[in-house]
Amino acid sequence: MTSPDMTEANIDKLAELFPNVITEKLDAEGNPKKAVDFDLLRQELSDHVVEGPQERYQLDWPGKRAALFIANAPIAKTLRPAREESVDFDDAHNLFIEGDSLDALKLLQESYLGRADVIYVDPPYNSGADWVYADDFAETAAEYLLRSGQVDGRGARLVANTEANGRFHSDWLSMMYPRLKLARNLLSETGVLIAAIDDREHSGLKQLLDQVFGAQNFLANIVWQGRAKNDARFAGGGLDYMLVYGRDRNRLIADDVRWKEPKSGYGLVVAAVRDAWARSGEDAARATAILREWWKSKPETEKGLQSYTEIDESGRAFLRGPLASPNPRANLQYELLHPVTGRPVPMHENGWRYSRETMDQMLAEGRIIFGPDETTTPRRKMYLDEQEDQAIRSLVVQERASATGALIDLMGADVFDNPKDIGVLCKWINAVTQGKKDAMVLDFFGGSGSTGHAVMALNALDGGHRRFILVQLDESVAESSGAAQAGYTTIAEVAKERLRRAGAKLVDEAGILADSVAPGFRVLKVDTTNLTDVLRTPDETEQQTLSGLGDSVKPDRSGEDLLFQVLLDWGLELTMPISVEKLEGHEVYLVEDDALVACFDSEVSPELVRAIAKREPLRAVFRDSGFASDDARINAEQIFHEISPATDVKAI
């Protein structure tokens, strides 16, 4: 009943590669467990190991080793459902997890391993203040200042401006490191991570992502230009960034993934062409003249669109493109005859752009433009309606003020500073998932819920069925903030209410696509494990305490609490449809068409066991204390063995 032990998983991976380096050692209780013989491992990697004080290219900071340890260490926690805070709980396909993202990411490791298509994070920026993510390995300010030589043993400062000497950068990196390592596991092979960041931690985050994802998987550094400050002392600023990494860049290349976006102003030009064709009476020369006159008004469009100034006899706008091959190839060098004079036209020294067969096809389609005679090099028609998309640009120009205003309109108050822009999120989520309409999107710094809002907005736009998982710490809002004045106590409360309102509004506006918005979400909260510690040695146990050790479930936990811990332990998705039925007088949970059937009643009858077995579920779970005796539990197993031998039966 703990999250996966990543250290054990890493040892298993080493065992597959180098079985001879695996040995045994005794744990704290004296039990044998697998371990790595590092002397043998060094021998296996003798040409590649970097040891000791040798110089190497790396990013280091105080607390890095501890951060790596905590990423791998298991936790005895679970996710408890909050049905009353959710929307359409039973059928929701989205998740809102309230709690520390480190715990949440650990708990999601088995259920969502390799499932996320895109992870978008806008982590809390390092302001130099006390850190809200107080991870267990973080040292106090006093410990850091003493160890780093900034104060003496009596606490007197030895170095001025201590905040600038690394502690806050180290804390921030230590917070991000384990979360990014765990998040990488959740990305699919073609998955992409987008991390928004400002100038303060851009360089550190870039190096950290290089370590976690591998520098070879870096894809892009997007510059986000917001409002600049005219009174700035140096540059106007207003810049944020988005660092983009792939889980496997080579896989993306092999799949010929290309991120595209519509050309700015494309629809405007298409409308102008259509208008010119209609006004000309479908006369190509006159339509071209009208279009060129329209271009003189200097409409705001992508620069490349301004070359589409001609309209042909089919009413399609085009430009005259080159026919020369960029590289010399023998099969591209052949005679091309002028259609009137019958003589060869001039050929580029590299040859033509197309093979003989393709060139003949283009000639038949009228896509080759010749001059009056053979002395002029021909050109090819490049039609506007075939050039709608372009490679997505690395510069985003969008003021955040518009996102703030939109959120105020939705919530009726200024409840969150600097929310993410929905339009920008939609653009990038759609681009990096190649328009995949069932993509899963994860944001483990959920903030005000912008990422979930963007996913629902994309679904409303194109009828998709994308899903989101948001994680947000139950961090208190400032007492003087607009959120506090509006009645909210935590940022998580703001995010949940934003998702409720945004979902309802999108459904109202979506019309026939309302069903695709999928505004439902399950609220789950990180909490301690549902089980109590009942493990005792004989000399620690008194006769009168034995009765209290029979039930290992905490008294304040419900059957639904236990159900979600079982889903986690079995690595099942936490959004599977759930229904509750009465069976032989007992409350029974049915998950995903009997993929799992569970009953956590305090007493389990043989009739109930037989009724569940007749349903032949894939998995069945009971509460261990629900059986009157060991014999009753063994009999239950025997009933399943006879009626439904394929069912995996467990008791907790």
Side-chain angles (χ1 to χ4, degrees):
M1 288 293 184
T2 65
S3 65
D5 188 330
M6 305 305 291
T7 299
E8 291 293 332
N10 289 336
I11 292 175
D12 290 339
K13 292 175 184 176
L14 280 174
E16 293 179 8
L17 295 173
F18 309 108
N20 59 310
V21 308
I22 304 301
T23 183
E24 287 186 353
K25 71 171 186 177
L26 299 180
D27 62 17
E29 286 75 34
N31 299 314
K33 62 180 297 185
K34 284 191 294 187
V36 176
D37 185 328
F38 284 99
D39 289 332
L40 285 176
L41 182 60
R42 287 187 182 93
Q43 184 173 330
E44 292 283 358
L45 305 174
S46 58
D47 292 337
H48 305 285
V49 173
V50 180
E51 297 183 275
Q54 293 186 47
E55 293 180 345
R56 69 198 78 170
Y57 181 77
Q58 63 178 345
L59 173 66
D60 260 330
W61 67 89
K64 181 180 179 181
R65 289 186 180 181
L68 179 59
F69 169 79
I70 204 169
N72 293 332
I75 56 172
K77 294 189 178 183
T78 190
L79 294 174
R80 297 181 67 187
R83 179 178 286 268
E84 68 283 355
E85 299 178 32
S86 307
V87 175
D88 191 20
F89 183 91
D90 289 328
D91 297 315
H93 296 291
N94 304 305
L95 290 178
F96 184 96
I97 300 175
E98 186 173 321
D100 193 315
S101 52
L102 182 63
D103 295 334
L105 288 168
K106 288 188 175 188
L107 293 170
L108 295 176
Q109 287 298 298
E110 294 193 16
S111 295
Y112 292 93
L113 183 70
R115 302 295 301 276
D117 296 291
V118 57
I119 297 176
Y120 179 94
V121 288
D122 191 351
Y125 294 165
N126 189 352
S127 62
D130 288 338
W131 199 240
V132 67
Y133 288 90
D135 295 331
D136 294 339
F137 57 81
E139 61 189 340
T140 66
E143 291 170 339
Y144 175 83
L145 294 175
L146 179 62
R147 181 174 57 77
S148 60
Q150 297 184 49
V151 298
D152 60 21
R154 294 171 295 176
R157 289 190 179 186
L158 302 177
V159 180
N161 192 20
T162 57
E163 289 84 355
N165 278 304
R167 175 208 164 202
F168 298 116
H169 294 289
S170 297
D171 281 357
W172 194 85
L173 289 169
S174 290
M175 184 276 294
M176 290 297 296
Y177 191 28
R179 289 166 173 82
L180 289 172
K181 282 185 65 66
L182 293 167
R184 180 179 178 272
N185 297 337
L186 302 182
L187 274 179
S188 67
E189 289 186 5
T190 57
V192 173
L193 176 133
I194 305 174
I197 196 66
D198 68 351
D199 296 278
R200 186 187 297 265
E201 296 295 350
H202 179 275
S203 61
L205 182 59
K206 174 68 169 63
Q207 294 181 73
L208 186 60
L209 287 167
D210 282 347
Q211 285 196 10
V212 174
F213 283 81
Q216 72 277 9
N217 290 313
F218 170 71
L219 302 178
N221 180 31
I222 309 303
V223 180
W224 186 332
Q225 175 67 68
R227 178 177 294 179
K229 296 181 179 180
N230 291 329
D231 60 348
R233 181 178 295 276
F234 303 111
L239 292 182
D240 288 313
Y241 305 89
M242 292 192 294
L243 292 166
V244 187
Y245 282 74
R247 180 69 170 80
D248 185 346
R249 185 175 184 270
N250 290 333
R251 171 64 184 274
L252 295 174
I253 293 173
D255 290 351
D256 194 29
V257 169
R258 298 178 185 273
W259 297 344
K260 299 289 186 179
E261 65 176 346
K263 292 180 178 178
S264 176
Y266 175 81
L268 187 65
V269 181
V270 169
V273 172
R274 190 183 303 115
D275 178 67
W277 183 245
R279 288 170 54 195
S280 71
E282 300 187 355
D283 178 88
R286 190 175 173 205
T288 295
I290 294 173
L291 179 62
R292 287 175 175 173
E293 188 65 28
W294 177 80
W295 275 117
K296 291 179 181 179
S297 66
K298 297 182 179 179
E300 291 188 10
T301 67
E302 190 77 26
K303 189 174 181 180
L305 292 174
Q306 297 170 15
S307 298
Y308 290 89
T309 61
E310 294 184 73
I311 299 178
D312 68 7
E313 291 75 10
S314 64
R316 301 169 73 186
F318 69 93
L319 63 77
R320 297 170 181 250
L323 269 174
S325 170
N327 301 301
R329 285 169 54 186
N331 69 316
L332 300 179
Q333 299 188 13
Y334 51 85
E335 282 191 345
L336 183 62
L337 304 180
H338 190 275
V340 176
T341 67
R343 297 189 181 94
V345 296
M347 181 183 69
H348 190 273
E349 61 183 354
N350 288 345
W352 302 109
R353 191 179 193 89
Y354 305 107
S355 66
R356 176 82 259 184
E357 293 77 13
T358 303
M359 183 69 81
D360 288 342
Q361 182 179 347
M362 295 182 71
L363 285 167
E365 295 173 353
R367 300 189 64 148
I368 305 300
I369 307 171
F370 291 90
D373 58 38
E374 74 278 1
T375 61
T376 305
T377 301
R379 310 282 284 178
R380 62 189 171 112
K381 283 186 181 180
M382 297 176 62
Y383 285 113
L384 172 67
D385 54 26
E386 296 175 345
Q387 306 294 326
E388 178 179 359
D389 296 329
Q390 63 185 4
I392 197 164
R393 299 305 189 235
S394 298
L395 173 64
V396 176
V397 180
Q398 177 68 55
E399 292 190 11
R400 287 183 177 262
S402 60
T404 301
L407 184 57
I408 291 173
D409 290 342
L410 179 67
M411 303 294 287
D414 187 359
V415 295
F416 196 83
D417 295 333
N418 301 317
K420 306 162 195 171
D421 187 274
I422 297 300
V424 174
L425 287 175
C426 286
K427 168 183 171 179
W428 281 95
I429 291 172
N430 194 52
V432 302
T433 59
Q434 294 286 283
K436 183 180 178 182
K437 294 188 177 183
D438 61 348
M440 178 178 288
V441 181
L442 168 65
D443 182 348
F444 54 88
F445 291 113
S448 68
S450 298
T451 302
H453 189 164
V455 169
M456 291 188 291
L458 265 179
N459 288 339
L461 186 66
D462 63 11
H465 300 282
R466 301 169 185 85
R467 297 177 290 164
F468 65 78
I469 301 176
L470 302 189
V471 183
Q472 176 55 43
L473 186 69
D474 52 343
E475 178 185 352
S476 298
V477 299
E479 292 183 4
S480 59
S481 67
Q485 294 172 12
Y488 301 101
T489 59
T490 67
I491 293 176
E493 287 183 4
V494 173
K496 286 179 285 188
E497 182 59 22
R498 190 237 183 108
L499 293 174
R500 295 184 194 108
R501 296 191 183 196
K505 183 179 179 182
L506 286 167
V507 168
D508 288 341
E509 298 172 346
I512 61 174
L513 295 179
D515 289 343
S516 67
V517 175
F521 61 92
R522 288 179 179 173
V523 176
L524 307 177
K525 298 188 178 185
V526 176
D527 206 336
T528 58
T529 179
N530 294 312
L531 304 185
T532 58
D533 183 9
V534 295
L535 184 63
R536 299 287 189 280
T537 60
D539 55 358
E540 291 178 321
T541 307
E542 298 179 359
Q543 184 68 32
Q544 58 268 31
T545 64
L546 283 175
S547 60
L549 300 178
D551 191 351
S552 61
V553 178
K554 293 178 180 177
D556 65 332
R557 302 303 166 93
S558 68
E560 202 159 65
D561 290 332
L562 297 177
L563 176 64
F564 274 84
Q565 184 147 349
V566 168
L567 292 176
L568 285 171
D569 293 338
W570 239 317
L572 301 176
E573 282 199 30
L574 303 178
T575 54
M576 283 184 164
I578 298 172
S579 61
V580 182
E581 291 185 9
K582 281 289 185 179
L583 199 61
E584 298 294 334
H586 296 269
E587 185 178 68
V588 177
Y589 294 94
L590 308 175
V591 181
E592 188 80 34
D593 296 327
D594 290 353
L596 169 67
V597 176
C599 178
F600 302 109
D601 285 358
S602 57
E603 295 182 5
V604 176
S605 66
E607 292 77 16
L608 172 67
V609 173
R610 187 169 296 276
I612 292 177
K614 287 180 179 178
R615 298 179 73 105
E616 299 185 354
L618 292 177
R619 308 168 185 86
V621 185
F622 302 92
R623 190 167 176 164
D624 186 65
S625 60
F627 295 102
S629 64
D630 288 344
D631 289 343
R633 186 180 60 202
I634 293 171
N635 287 338
E637 293 174 354
Q638 187 61 32
I639 289 172
F640 273 96
H641 181 70
E642 294 174 358
I643 300 176
S644 182
T647 300
D648 192 355
V649 184
K650 288 186 179 180
I652 63 171

